[in-house]
Amino acid sequence: MTVSVVLASILVGISAEAVLAQQAYKESVRGRQRLDFESYGLSLDLLSRPDDRSDAGRLAGSFDLFSKATVDAGRDSNVTRVKNGAISSAVTEAKAEAALRSNWTNHEALLIVDLTDRRVAESSRENTTDARLATAVRIDVDDGVFARGFAEAKRGHIRRGDDADPGAGFEPLTFNQYLVGGVYDDRRDDRVFTRIVGEAVHRSYNPTDNVDRDTLDRTTFNLRGFVGYSPGGEYDLFVSPSLLRDVYTEEASEDQNSTRLTLSVGASRDITGVSAFNGRVGVSHRMFDASTRSAQTDFVLSGGLLWNLTPIMTFTADADIENQQSDDPSAGTKLSRSFRVGLDYDPFEQLIIGGYFSVANEEFQQIDREDDDMLVGANATYLINEHLFAGLSVEREVSDSTDPARAFDATTVMFRISAKLCCQADDGTVNPFNLGRF
């Protein structure tokens, strides 16, 4: 159920669809501002004065520090995601995040640092520590035109039950990931919105219990274009071509090297902030470097719905069908189909209650394997004050696979407490810990 790095690369820039119609999200239970419970970052402009309008004061920019700490504690009935011999254990995950934001006359810069530590009481070999260092900058080229650049260095681990997971007999698989990219946006025309996104991602996997995992290492290059057109009214049209290049670093996996061309078209509609719909359909053609592998032509279909049933209740639904690259090169590509629904309820200003249900089917193209996944969960978030909130979640995950090593079921119950110094700035509510913020 964990989204692979290749899928993440394919989806870079797809959020542009939401830019065309987002009023309904701003009015939703999760999306609307709650000014009494949002925090400002810590201003570091110790030498500036609010009334300083001189050129020196204007060019000096402003600096804000956002910080956030979150602790999740609870119990997982199957920490290694196996069918037999499940280990039930108390689990604690602590995450600390900090973001330094600089807002100048014609550009903006962001530096992000975060650290996540996971502890499993009954199995110390499942303990993991992840870290990330990221930066981004936005430059206003002209009125309605801006460019963005971003880079990230990350150490992470593969979630148990994922394609690349070596199994419970091995320690968790860790990786190092390096990302660099840029975005060019042009919004000068009231009716036409264009975007070009380029990104390169390199991921290398570390040995697990002295077993080499270099065959999983690869570099992905993604180039995506997006043109949106608003003819007036409450709907928008868009067309999006993309080029995806996948290159493995080991000869043992080089028959997976490929180039994928995709062209999709779609529409989004926002009905006065009450409901929003977006859908796209496309065709994807994938060519392999290995002469022994035939090219693939696939159709891509996806859709999403957000409906504010009442001012305090929001319904969401998403569905998609597309071919994806597996993190395991021996598994090749897979046809993925998924459907998800969710309901959020806001009985009063300080409490948000949510529930969700999703099903997914993955049918592998190069091997005889099929996975059926089901996820159902419920959560509650209580906003104590502008700096503190608490939460509780219950989740049931079931994976039924023709590969016995990938079949499992698990129940997780977690309590969350979070303290923050974020997430408002002069230009409204933001997410300073996300590179997509720009």
Side-chain angles (χ1 to χ4, degrees), residues 14-87:
I14 200 172
S15 60
E17 300 168 14
V19 172
L20 300 176
Q22 56 182 345
Q23 187 58 38
Y25 175 75
K26 291 181 178 179
E27 299 296 332
S28 69
V29 170
R30 299 279 178 181
R32 70 171 177 263
Q33 294 187 20
R34 299 167 183 268
L35 298 182
D36 291 341
F37 302 101
E38 297 288 351
S39 303
Y40 283 90
L42 174 64
S43 175
L44 302 181
D45 302 328
L46 301 180
L47 302 179
S48 65
R49 300 177 180 177
D51 58 348
D52 186 358
R53 300 181 182 275
S54 65
D55 288 342
R58 183 171 60 88
L59 294 176
S62 65
F63 293 87
D64 299 287
L65 178 64
F66 301 93
S67 60
K68 186 176 182 180
T70 304
V71 176
D72 291 285
R75 193 161 195 89
D76 191 326
S77 68
N78 189 353
V79 293
T80 54
R81 298 299 187 263
V82 293
K83 186 66 175 179
N84 300 307
I87 299 175

Side-chain angles (χ1 to χ4, degrees), residues 292-333:
T292 56
R293 297 196 62 177
S294 301
Q296 294 178 201
T297 299
D298 308 295
F299 288 97
V300 177
L301 178 66
S302 67
L305 170 69
L306 187 151
W307 183 11
N308 294 311
L309 299 169
T310 72
I312 60 172
M313 186 177 294
T314 300
F315 172 79
T316 57
D318 298 280
D320 70 82
I321 302 174
E322 63 180 313
N323 258 45
Q324 299 174 7
Q325 172 74 29
S326 171
D327 263 341
D328 183 353
S330 64
T333 57

Side-chain angles (χ1 to χ4, degrees), residues 202-380:
H202 177 74
R203 178 179 282 195
S204 59
Y205 291 82
N206 299 322
T208 48
D209 290 327
N210 298 318
V211 177
D212 187 80
R213 302 291 176 180
D214 290 347
T215 57
L216 297 174
D217 298 353
R218 66 176 177 269
T219 302
T220 301
F221 303 93
N222 185 49
L223 180 64
R224 186 183 184 93
F226 183 93
V227 179
Y229 173 66
S230 177
E234 298 169 337
Y235 68 95
D236 303 280
L237 308 174
F238 60 85
V239 57
S240 178
S242 67
L243 171 67
L244 182 69
R245 174 67 179 163
D246 225 8
V247 180
Y248 281 83
T249 57
E250 286 287 306
E251 291 184 2
S253 304
E254 65 180 3
D255 62 342
Q256 300 291 325
N257 296 348
S258 65
T259 302
R260 183 192 292 271
L261 301 171
T262 303
L263 178 65
S264 60
V265 297
S268 59
R269 177 177 173 85
D270 193 317
I271 305 176
T272 62
V274 174
S275 62
F277 170 81
N278 70 80
R280 68 183 178 111
V281 60
V283 61
S284 175
H285 185 68
R286 186 181 185 193
M287 298 162 288
F288 294 90
D289 292 2
S291 58
T292 56
R293 297 196 62 177
S294 301
Q296 294 178 201
T297 299
D298 308 295
F299 288 97
V300 177
L301 178 66
S302 67
L305 170 69
L306 187 151
W307 183 11
N308 294 311
L309 299 169
T310 72
I312 60 172
M313 186 177 294
T314 300
F315 172 79
T316 57
D318 298 280
D320 70 82
I321 302 174
E322 63 180 313
N323 258 45
Q324 299 174 7
Q325 172 74 29
S326 171
D327 263 341
D328 183 353
S330 64
T333 57
K334 56 189 176 184
L335 178 63
S336 175
R337 292 159 287 207
S338 65
F339 176 72
R340 181 187 186 279
V341 294
L343 185 67
D344 294 315
Y345 177 54
D346 186 9
F348 54 91
E349 185 69 8
Q350 291 174 257
L351 180 65
I352 302 174
I353 300 173
Y356 53 92
F357 171 77
S358 68
V359 291
N361 172 268
E362 295 177 343
E363 186 176 347
F364 289 79
Q365 308 297 291
Q366 279 74 51
I367 60 174
D368 184 19
R369 175 183 158 193
E370 185 173 357
D371 299 343
D372 289 292
D373 300 316
M374 184 272 291
L375 184 68
V376 60
N379 53 60

